[in-house]
Amino acid sequence: MSLVFSVSSQNNLKKTEDQIPLKELLSSIEKEFDVRFSFDSELIEQQQCFPFDKEETLEEKLKFLAEETYLDFSKLDARYIVIKKRAPKHDISICGFLIDEASGLPIANATIWVEGKSIGTSSNEKGYFMLDKLMSDWVIRIDYLGYYSLENSVYKLIDIDCIQIPMAETNEELEEVLISDYLTQGMSKKRDGAIRVSPKNLGILPGLTEPDVLQSLQLLPGVQSPGETASDLHVRGGTPDQNLVLFDGIKMYESGHFFGLISSFNPYVTKKIEFYRSGTSAKYGDRIGGVLDISSGDAVPEFNAGFGLNLLHADAYVKTPLFNDKVGVILSGRRSLTDFWNTITYQKFSESVFQNTRIVQDETEGANDITNVNNSFFFHDYNLKVITDVTENDKLVFSNLYNNNNLEYYSENERFNEINTDNLAIKNRGSDLKWMRNWNEKWSSHLEINQSNYQLDYAGIREITRRNPENSSTNVFEKYNNVKDVGLKLHLTNRINEVSTWQYGYELSKNEVSYIFDNSNNNNEQDQIFESDNSQNRTHAFFTEYSLSKDQKWNLNLGLRANYFSVVKQLYLEPRFFVSNQLNEAFQLKFSAEIKNQVISQLIEFRNNGFGLENEIWALSDGDRIPVLNNYQVSAGFLFQKDGWNLDIDLYNRRIDGITILTEDVANRVPQYLAGKSTTNGVDVLLKKRFGIYRSWISYTLSKTKFQYDQLNDGEKFDGEYDIPHSLVWSHTLMLQKFEFSLGWKLRSGTPYTKGTSIEQTPRGSYRIVYEDEVNKNRLPVYNKIDLSATYKFALSKNGTTHGKFGISLMNIFNTRNILDRNYEIKTERIGQSIERTLVETDQISIGFTPNLVFRVDF
């Protein structure tokens, strides 16, 4: 909802929906005064006006309409009146002071922008704002979370001194949003503890020229990406597969492109993201970690389209209403340029992704001998959404997505008569259909059917040809992983009164999971492995949740979820609790507790015989080798807000039972599943302050994650695989008219690792690495990186309806060499008639200095 502010009376705030078509007002004048209007129908077709108030005479009413519409009403004679469009005026400047209507206090950080143009600013701590170089026929809009939006035409503000503009609170939004501009513009914190992100309004972030959905969350405390990817979000000691990621209701089993370096979600069709680190609503199930609920919106959109290009990919989108705004269509597509445009950004990304794989080994170890190389990599995605307003109370929404990553590699080594072939495809497809209905003022329902299909398909061949056929070999390795997910959801909402709501729901989901490891064609019998699994699970889930928001002081969510997993034939209860209390204007206390369970998760496969990019597989729990994951988490903290300062602190304790790794029993050549538990204790701190056009924030996490397995480390606890005790992010943004700049510094502890010490021969004649007895007692060096971004927005048409953006990002501007991971492998080399085996330490290095450029046009 929006209001129109009047310059003649500061308290005269009118609702935009109270306006009526200009045609109706002209018709009433014609009947009342026996006059006739002459005009071009297109001129007034979209014009809306408020009804007459105190105007009585014909002259008074014509003057009122002229002020409302910026049209000329010229009398030809006593009866005929001609309506013409006024020539727009240029270079208009306006200013004002935003104040709270009730208290009279200034409102800082509100967004003032020109509708349909890339022109805008923010109010300072005194509520002051100014815009210049405007045209008289433009419309100014003022937005601030927790308040009704305001709008007015520029021509109504011409020659008006800086006025006080009161903004009225909206109870609905105040109940939902606690802090606007939580980190930056477009990111807010809801009263239930969730972080909401609006990519369209998201301010510039360090190292990014475009609003990447997943990378923006890594600036929050408690969210890490040890591997420096966008999609691998580790939330408070958890792993990425423990996060529930939904896109328009579709479960995502793969959420990254370029092996996770960028998000697979197009930010230009994404309307909002809600992210939970704890205190999760009972309506979310199936995962034990964070929740990332991404939506492209369920309202029929206004027309909007655009396209863009950077040094990795190109994209285009269109949003349009159809059939008198009863139907809306959203369509977007992206495709990488990497298979035919070898940009510097692609080169840097490739160096990071393909290091320590066959691709780099071939190119570095025998660069002069490699011929007929074909390294083709590309990704693409598309989204389609159709929104239909069937009636005033019924809405049908259909969504569909398709994400695909493909790698084809082929090389020949003429000197050694070797041929390598690798083909890898990773796909995630899905669709969702939902019917939403408002039965009355108190009851509403949400019925949803969805499906998701994830597929990983890898085939690798290494052929070695020798003069003596006995010395020739062919090693073939295949890996296949498929997840099919089908679900049905029914949610009912009962709005008991203005302060309390009760939700009920039932969900049925079916998971079919299969995977295959096939190395049976390997010439070396000792290394032959064949393993497969094909299982399924049905989950019946019921949930109920009571929500209370009273006097803007108390906020309470009390929920219970019950899951029955058919694969283990067991019922799991999941109580959820979140409460906050606003002690005064500055302080808020908060507490949450939750239990969650997960029946499908990813295993890390350490017997990888591929080329190093496909060693994670989805598998179903079986209650034995792979137990159901159980999560117990409590958190408590406080929030302080005063004079533009925000301090948000959360302390938490988390325990996960059933975490499983897939290792290898070397002596018996039998796969072994090890199940254990982890504990994480930590504190998340966020400190933010805005100084006019400059904003700075620091997010810091102090945490400790410990693992424990009966069969490892003599049963003693050891540092978790991705334990990062200290993590600091310090970011800065600066707005200078059409320019935006952002600088960010990331500093964190290195991850732990176990050092390899020697090589030994097994009873069956093969060789293995001997590691230190104490697991993960060593730690990699400190991670340190500085990123920089800058953008410039400009108009491409005189009326500003078509606008563009040019941006540049510089990742790791000092080219710091950060070690992300450390592994050990056995290298075999023939020297004369003997074979030498060497233990080699291999480091995974972070991406170096990487520039990127972006150009966008929206209309």
Side-chain angles (χ1 to χ4, degrees), residues 432-493:
D432 180 272
L433 176 64
K434 57 188 171 186
W435 168 43
M436 296 175 286
R437 177 173 174 80
N438 294 320
W439 297 93
N440 51 48
E441 293 182 356
K442 292 186 176 294
W443 285 93
S444 62
S445 63
H446 180 126
L447 179 63
E448 187 171 0
I449 302 173
N450 53 60
Q451 67 87 23
S452 182
N453 191 324
Y454 165 82
Q455 183 175 317
L456 180 148
D457 199 347
Y458 168 72
I461 303 174
R462 189 176 184 91
E463 299 179 70
I464 302 176
T465 305
R466 299 290 184 259
R467 293 180 180 179
N468 184 352
E470 294 182 358
N471 295 329
S472 299
S473 64
T474 300
N475 296 329
V476 179
F477 186 79
E478 295 180 356
K479 183 177 292 187
Y480 176 81
N481 189 199
N482 181 236
V483 180
K484 296 179 180 179
D485 193 309
V486 180
L488 170 69
K489 301 178 182 180
L490 175 61
H491 292 183
L492 300 175
T493 302

Side-chain angles (χ1 to χ4, degrees), residues 710-728:
D710 292 339
Q711 300 93 334
L712 292 179
N713 207 48
D714 296 325
E716 297 295 324
K717 292 182 178 180
F718 57 90
D719 288 346
E721 191 73 16
Y722 300 107
D723 175 53
I724 300 176
H726 303 276
S727 178
L728 176 86

Side-chain angles (χ1 to χ4, degrees), residues 117-165:
K117 287 99 184 149
S118 58
I119 299 173
T121 187
S122 299
S123 57
N124 63 19
E125 295 180 357
K126 297 181 180 180
Y128 174 78
F129 71 90
M130 181 177 181
L131 287 171
D132 55 12
K133 297 182 180 180
L134 306 179
M135 296 181 65
S136 59
D137 56 352
W138 289 355
V139 174
I140 298 297
R141 186 179 176 92
I142 304 174
D143 292 320
Y144 190 66
L145 289 172
Y147 291 79
Y148 288 111
S149 296
L150 302 178
E151 64 179 35
N152 209 340
S153 301
V154 172
Y155 64 78
K156 294 184 180 180
L157 307 175
I158 297 176
D159 299 327
I160 301 296
D161 293 334
C162 290
I163 59 172
Q164 284 191 342
I165 303 172

Side-chain angles (χ1 to χ4, degrees), residues 180 261-262 384 400 446 468 480 505 557 721-722 779 803 826 847:
S180 61
L261 284 181
I262 62 176
L384 171 66
N400 184 262
H446 180 126
N468 184 352
Y480 176 81
N557 288 346
E721 191 73 16
Y722 300 107
R779 192 169 287 275
H803 49 91
I826 300 174
I847 194 167

Side-chain angles (χ1 to χ4, degrees), residues 369-526:
D369 306 311
I370 300 297
T371 59
N372 299 326
V373 176
N374 176 28
N375 182 10
S376 175
F377 168 76
F378 71 91
F379 64 81
H380 64 269
D381 62 61
Y382 82 82
N383 304 103
L384 171 66
K385 190 167 192 175
V386 180
I387 306 163
T388 305
D389 289 336
V390 182
T391 69
E392 291 184 359
N393 297 314
D394 294 271
K395 184 188 293 287
L396 282 175
V397 180
F398 172 76
S399 302
N400 184 262
L401 67 84
Y402 177 79
N403 295 332
N404 182 34
N405 287 263
N406 269 86
L407 173 66
E408 297 179 0
Y409 179 73
Y410 175 87
S411 69
E412 296 181 12
N413 189 319
E414 293 182 347
R415 179 181 178 185
F416 294 102
N417 294 319
E418 296 180 1
I419 297 177
N420 288 325
T421 304
D422 294 287
N423 293 293
L424 175 62
I426 303 174
K427 301 176 182 178
N428 202 142
R429 295 163 286 181
S431 57
D432 180 272
L433 176 64
K434 57 188 171 186
W435 168 43
M436 296 175 286
R437 177 173 174 80
N438 294 320
W439 297 93
N440 51 48
E441 293 182 356
K442 292 186 176 294
W443 285 93
S444 62
S445 63
H446 180 126
L447 179 63
E448 187 171 0
I449 302 173
N450 53 60
Q451 67 87 23
S452 182
N453 191 324
Y454 165 82
Q455 183 175 317
L456 180 148
D457 199 347
Y458 168 72
I461 303 174
R462 189 176 184 91
E463 299 179 70
I464 302 176
T465 305
R466 299 290 184 259
R467 293 180 180 179
N468 184 352
E470 294 182 358
N471 295 329
S472 299
S473 64
T474 300
N475 296 329
V476 179
F477 186 79
E478 295 180 356
K479 183 177 292 187
Y480 176 81
N481 189 199
N482 181 236
V483 180
K484 296 179 180 179
D485 193 309
V486 180
L488 170 69
K489 301 178 182 180
L490 175 61
H491 292 183
L492 300 175
T493 302
N494 177 19
R495 187 176 178 85
I496 301 172
N497 50 47
E498 293 183 356
V499 299
S500 58
T501 303
W502 209 308
Q503 294 187 70
Y504 317 83
Y506 166 73
E507 297 182 14
L508 170 64
S509 63
K510 178 183 178 182
N511 303 110
E512 294 184 16
V513 182
S514 59
Y515 60 84
I516 296 174
F517 303 103
D518 187 1
N519 198 22
S520 58
N521 291 321
N522 194 330
N523 289 78
N524 187 348
E525 295 182 1
Q526 294 180 349

Side-chain angles (χ1 to χ4, degrees), residues 25 189 214 280 348 378 492 584 603 659 856:
L25 292 176
K189 186 167 187 177
L214 300 181
T280 312
K348 293 295 184 179
F378 71 91
L492 300 175
N584 51 47
L603 305 180
I659 53 176
R856 292 206 61 82

Side-chain angles (χ1 to χ4, degrees), residues 548-607:
L548 173 70
S549 182
K550 188 176 181 181
D551 300 329
Q552 304 301 315
K553 291 185 177 181
W554 286 97
N555 198 84
L556 170 70
N557 288 346
L558 180 62
L560 177 66
R561 186 180 181 92
N563 298 313
Y564 177 79
F565 301 134
S566 66
V567 70
V568 294
K569 299 179 181 179
Q570 191 169 343
L571 179 69
Y572 294 83
L573 297 180
E574 301 179 351
R576 315 279 181 88
F577 178 74
F578 174 85
V579 63
S580 65
N581 177 243
Q582 195 74 36
L583 297 178
N584 51 47
E585 292 183 357
F587 274 100
Q588 183 206 69
L589 298 179
K590 51 188 175 177
F591 175 82
S592 70
E594 61 187 14
I595 296 177
K596 295 180 182 179
N597 300 278
Q598 182 172 333
V599 74
I600 180 173
S601 59
Q602 277 187 323
L603 305 180
I604 306 298
E605 195 266 313
F606 287 105
R607 300 157 305 139

